[in-house]
Amino acid sequence: MTERRRITPVILSGGSGTRLWPLSRTGRPKQLLSLTHAETMLQMTARRTAGDRFA
């Protein structure tokens, strides 16, 4: 039987926030804003790592 290897997700975020609108602010970094959905971009990214494939 073949063993399925699980992926360990690593979510990277940060930077100066100057490339895309809206600009990040010290108190409101872009990854913690809910720009297009009710959830923040960080929450949506973390949700994509749910499931049996991920450790």
Side-chain angles (χ1 to χ4, degrees), residues 13-34:
S13 64
S16 60
T18 60
R19 291 180 52 191
L20 301 171
W21 175 92
L23 293 177
S24 287
R25 305 284 186 250
T26 302
R28 294 179 53 117
K30 216 178 299 183
Q31 61 269 23
L32 300 180
L33 299 176
S34 53

